[in-house]
Amino acid sequence: MSSPSSPILTEFSGRSGEILERLNKLYPALIDLSLDRLIRLLNDLGNPELHMPPIIHVAGTNGKGSTCAFLRAIGEEAGLKVHVSTSPHLVDVTERFRIAGQLVSEEELSETLIEIERINQQQPITVFEVLTAAAFVLFAKHPADLAIIEVGLGGRFDATNIITPMVSVITSISMDHEAFLGDNLAKIATEKAGIIKANIPVVVDQQDPEALAVIKETAITLNAPYFIKDQEWSVTPTANQLIYKDAKGTLELPLPSLLGQHQFRNAGLAIAALRNSKLPIPDQAYQGIAKAVWPARLQQLHGKLTELISPDSEIWLDGGHNPDAGKILAQLIQDKWQDKPLHLIVGMKDNKNVREYLTPLIPLSTSIQAVVEPDQHLAMPISEIIKASDNLATSGGTVKDALMRIQSTQPVRVLICGSLYLAGCVLKQGNK
């Protein structure tokens, strides 16, 4: 299924952006869930996907990026060289490709894209397929011990799903991208479960029963061993520890570095995946969960923007953008953030369910301002956000405008939220 054409220079810049813009003209569909074009291109490239390090493949609705961050942190704590492919990027396209611990350089990425463009020979290909091919080329070129590959959208027909991993991971599944994945949880779960491979272990987060039934049926059909939260493994937080348990024993670990109760589960997914892999991970390396970094997921900002609010106030940034993300934020606010007035600054992508996202957050907020940044990709109009809030939100203009409207001499907490694209725009304004 494809979407209408869309300019991509709002997302990409530099030399690599110019190459991607040329490639975008070959098949200007923002999303087209199919594999034939990429299979053809990879074959012409010499099938780099067959020459990568052992792979962990991560699908799901919420928590994919955080789970990848925990996987990387544990792997690096164990002394492994780790490649990571994630999407979307926030500020620069190079963020999508981490090679043995370092982001790819603009020069190497551009050279890789030029080679892909040459090999492709003007044949139809989507930009995400090109970026996926670039990840495989880069990861095959550079030796490493582990490659972590995040699914872009769905799973079954996602461009990443031509790989054969050593472990598959399915994070929390909820309603999102319904136009592409289906209008109920069973349909969406069917797409996510499409990453499960015959005889390959799959590690699964707790799920709605409807989604879990689909995942288990798929795994059983493919003879794929499955490891489900609170069945084959569990995580239990205490005041200062995370207790992980499975058939191999118990781990007493520091709390995850990423905030929110949902991150206990994401850390557990990463631990379970690595404990069911063939990689040599010593028990002490799992303490790496305390070192994971993942921008725009409840990230506290510092720098220029904080100068616009009162002293001792805080600004936080979160890119979650679907109804479940709104519930997760609401839970955190109730549990941890009752000490200061909370002001929301909300911007969203134009196809998101803003009403259900905002519903749990509205009663916890002192004020809500709807915003759009000038370079925010596919932004929802401010008027639509206000309408979805039953007119409880007000127009904030840009993020800077909204911050300047928060007039308080007392310490407050500001949460900028609703979109990874908005988060990228905010981070471009500086966080130092």
Side-chain angles (χ1 to χ4, degrees):
M1 181 180 294
S2 62
S3 75
S5 62
S6 173
I8 63 167
L9 287 181
T10 51
E11 292 186 81
F12 304 106
S13 60
R15 186 183 179 199
S16 59
E18 294 172 3
I19 302 164
L20 291 166
E21 176 63 20
R22 288 200 302 268
L23 289 164
N24 184 57
K25 294 175 182 177
L26 301 176
Y27 195 81
L30 191 62
I31 299 170
D32 189 341
L33 299 180
S34 59
L35 298 175
D36 292 346
R37 291 177 303 277
L38 183 59
I39 289 171
R40 182 265 308 158
L41 174 60
L42 291 173
N43 183 65
D44 292 344
L45 287 166
N47 293 113
E49 76 280 6
L50 301 179
H51 304 285
M52 295 195 297
I55 299 166
I56 296 179
H57 198 196
V58 183
T61 304
N62 293 308
K64 297 192 299 295
S66 298
T67 300
C68 290
F70 286 124
L71 285 165
R72 173 193 158 210
I74 296 167
E76 292 181 344
E77 188 74 8
L80 304 182
K81 290 184 178 180
V82 184
H83 297 333
V84 189
S85 171
T86 56
S87 65
H89 62 274
L90 296 175
V91 177
D92 191 274
V93 67
T94 55
E95 297 168 30
R96 295 174 179 244
F97 313 98
R98 187 172 290 274
I99 302 173
Q102 301 295 322
L103 295 183
V104 68
S105 68
E106 169 65 26
E107 181 181 7
E108 184 173 13
L109 178 57
S110 296
E111 290 174 354
T112 302
L113 293 174
I114 287 170
E115 178 65 8
I116 290 172
E117 183 179 30
R118 183 184 70 81
I119 295 292
N120 186 62
Q121 295 183 339
Q122 299 293 303
Q123 297 180 79
I125 194 78
T126 72
V127 165
F128 186 74
E129 289 160 358
V130 168
L131 292 169
T132 301
F136 296 165
V137 169
L138 290 165
F139 292 178
K141 176 182 176 183
H142 294 275
D145 305 298
L146 169 64
I148 301 164
I149 307 292
E150 179 187 356
V151 166
L153 177 62
R156 184 163 59 117
F157 294 117
D158 183 75
T160 65
N161 201 33
I162 49 82
I163 58 177
T164 300
M166 60 174 172
V167 181
S168 302
V169 177
I170 300 178
T171 69
S172 173
I173 294 175
S174 62
M175 299 301 294
D176 200 10
H177 298 293
E178 292 93 333
F180 298 99
L181 304 181
D183 57 4
N184 61 59
L185 276 181
K187 291 179 180 178
I188 293 174
T190 297
E191 298 302 317
K192 307 290 186 183
I195 72 163
I196 299 174
K197 304 295 191 300
N199 305 308
I200 302 294
V202 56
V203 174
V204 185
D205 194 4
Q206 66 187 47
Q207 305 287 352
D208 181 280
E210 186 179 10
L212 185 58
V214 171
I215 294 169
K216 288 182 70 172
E217 180 181 357
T218 303
I220 290 169
T221 300
L222 293 171
N223 195 35
Y226 53 84
F227 301 88
I228 300 169
K229 183 181 181 296
D230 295 332
Q231 296 184 27
E232 286 74 29
W233 61 275
S234 67
V235 284
T236 305
T238 67
N240 55 13
Q241 281 190 318
L242 188 69
I243 310 300
Y244 173 92
K245 293 183 179 181
D246 63 15
K248 297 179 179 180
T250 299
L251 298 173
E252 296 182 359
L253 303 170
L255 292 173
S257 54
L258 304 181
L259 294 180
Q261 291 186 15
H262 59 298
Q263 298 295 5
F264 302 146
R265 293 156 41 197
N266 294 332
L269 282 166
I271 296 166
L274 288 166
R275 278 166 74 90
N276 286 286
S277 74
K278 297 179 180 179
L279 295 174
I281 308 291
D283 285 355
Q284 63 267 26
Y286 292 101
Q287 297 184 27
I289 62 172
K291 299 180 181 179
V293 176
W294 194 230
R297 279 71 173 183
L298 285 169
Q299 174 186 1
Q300 186 171 4
L301 300 182
H302 305 276
K304 293 181 180 179
L305 290 178
T306 59
E307 298 171 2
L308 301 176
I309 57 175
S310 62
D312 299 321
S313 292
E314 302 171 5
I315 302 178
W316 293 77
L317 180 66
D318 190 79
H321 46 260
N322 54 40
D324 268 17
K327 293 175 185 176
I328 287 168
L329 280 178
Q331 186 65 55
L332 174 86
I333 294 164
Q334 291 176 312
D335 292 346
K336 303 287 187 181
W337 283 0
Q338 294 295 303
D339 57 320
K340 298 176 183 176
L342 178 69
H343 297 269
L344 290 189
I345 297 176
V346 182
M348 300 199 77
K349 191 178 176 184
D350 60 4
N351 63 351
K352 297 301 179 182
N353 188 334
V354 61
R355 179 178 293 275
E356 289 195 28
Y357 173 83
L358 283 177
T359 294
L361 297 172
I362 288 172
L364 302 172
S365 306
T366 299
S367 74
I368 304 172
Q369 296 186 71
V371 298
V372 170
E373 287 293 302
D375 56 346
Q376 185 180 336
H377 185 59
L378 299 174
M380 180 178 290
I382 286 174
S383 59
E384 291 299 311
I385 300 174
I386 293 173
K387 180 180 178 182
S389 74
D390 292 329
N391 295 313
L392 294 173
T394 61
S395 175
T398 66
V399 169
K400 283 187 177 180
D401 295 335
L403 286 169
M404 294 177 69
R405 288 189 175 93
I406 299 172
Q407 299 295 325
S408 174
T409 58
Q410 301 300 316
V412 299
R413 184 172 285 112
V414 179
L415 177 60
I416 305 169
C417 59
S419 167
L420 284 171
Y421 293 117
L422 175 65
C425 294
V426 171
L427 290 174
K428 286 177 185 177
Q429 297 178 40
N431 182 36
K432 293 182 181 179

